[in-house]
Amino acid sequence: MLAAAILALSCLGSPAALAQTRAATPPPTAPSDADVSPWLTNLLEALKPRVDTRLPESSRAATVRLEGLLASGKAAEALPEIDARLAKSKAGDSQGEDVQMLFLKGRALNILGRPQEAKAVYLDMTQRFPELPEPWNNLAALEVADGRLEQAKMALDAALRNDPNYPVAHENMGDLFMMMAARSYNDSLRLAPQNAGARNKEAGIKSLLEAKTPAPQPRNR
């Protein structure tokens, strides 16, 4: 699913086309805003933690209502309440609500065009709740948006260590490997423009990535 976010591969004539990756080593050129696909928001909205938080019914209802606000594009309305609930949880409320509200906050920030703040939320979740695979997966998606492939792989590795049966992370890892291969072929073409083999392989990968479904349907777990 990371692939759909990287439709920027269609302009792989420059390293910036790999802008949607999360890696320890950034690509040769910093990503541009034009490289970030609306698919990324769809990915982050589609996922939420599968942890059994055993929330009280009132908190469950609030979570559902806030999710509805995000789904209807009212993130600016939802974010203040999310922050208020997080502040309340620090005063002794359940950890379960903290998990759900943090995840909603990451989604809200990304919808509002504040991906670096969203990344900080997911990173915080990976430190506080390292056993959950979903924050690692969404952190990887945002690392992809920053053009950091190796860091994205590290995050997906962590997601799969926590849940080896997490299908989204497996698919994302496969897409990430394709993006890394495309970057290598692009580097080869930059150094040797007449390399027909690298050009054909690059085109094949672009075709595979662009053929993927661009917007996964939200799933409830």
Side-chain angles (χ1 to χ4, degrees):
M1 296 193 176
L2 285 171
I6 197 70
L7 289 179
L9 280 171
S10 59
C11 58
L12 246 177
S14 68
L18 293 169
Q20 300 214 1
T21 35
R22 291 136 205 188
T25 304
T29 302
S32 67
D33 291 342
D35 293 322
V36 180
S37 167
W39 174 90
L40 183 62
T41 296
N42 292 326
L43 169 67
L44 299 179
E45 289 187 48
L47 303 177
K48 59 183 178 180
R50 293 172 295 159
V51 62
D52 180 5
T53 56
R54 306 201 182 281
L55 302 177
E57 188 59 36
S58 60
S59 295
R60 290 183 184 277
T63 298
V64 171
R65 178 171 53 77
L66 289 167
E67 286 176 342
L69 288 176
L70 296 182
S72 61
K74 298 179 180 178
E77 179 180 339
L79 186 56
E81 182 175 348
I82 292 170
D83 281 333
R85 287 182 171 274
L86 284 170
K88 183 180 178 181
S89 73
K90 290 180 181 179
D93 282 40
S94 71
Q95 175 174 292
E97 183 169 4
D98 200 29
V99 171
Q100 298 290 352
M101 288 300 128
L102 279 170
F103 208 82
L104 289 177
K105 181 172 183 175
R107 289 174 52 194
L109 288 168
N110 187 70
I111 293 169
L112 292 171
R114 296 156 63 180
Q116 294 309 310
E117 294 175 69
K119 183 192 291 189
V121 170
Y122 292 128
L123 181 59
D124 177 55
M125 291 189 73
T126 65
Q127 295 169 347
R128 294 173 59 188
F129 315 106
E131 74 280 5
L132 299 181
E134 290 83 2
W136 287 109
N137 182 79
N138 281 20
L139 178 62
L142 289 175
E143 294 288 11
V144 165
D146 283 346
R148 291 152 53 93
L149 295 176
E150 289 78 13
Q151 199 115 354
K153 183 179 181 302
M154 291 169 60
L156 288 175
D157 281 338
L160 290 170
R161 279 197 303 272
N162 291 325
D163 184 357
N165 298 316
Y166 188 16
V168 173
H170 278 293
E171 183 175 1
N172 286 346
M173 185 69 84
D175 294 341
L176 180 60
F177 282 141
M178 285 196 289
M179 286 186 279
M180 295 174 80
R183 184 175 66 179
S184 293
Y185 292 136
N186 186 58
D187 287 344
S188 176
L189 287 170
R190 178 171 51 83
L191 297 170
Q194 304 307 315
N195 187 339
R199 189 175 304 281
N200 290 337
K201 292 172 184 176
E202 176 197 62
I205 291 176
K206 286 168 57 178
S207 178
L208 285 173
L209 292 174
E210 292 169 0
K212 297 182 67 63
T213 304
Q217 293 299 310
R219 62 192 71 190
N220 295 317
R221 298 192 175 97

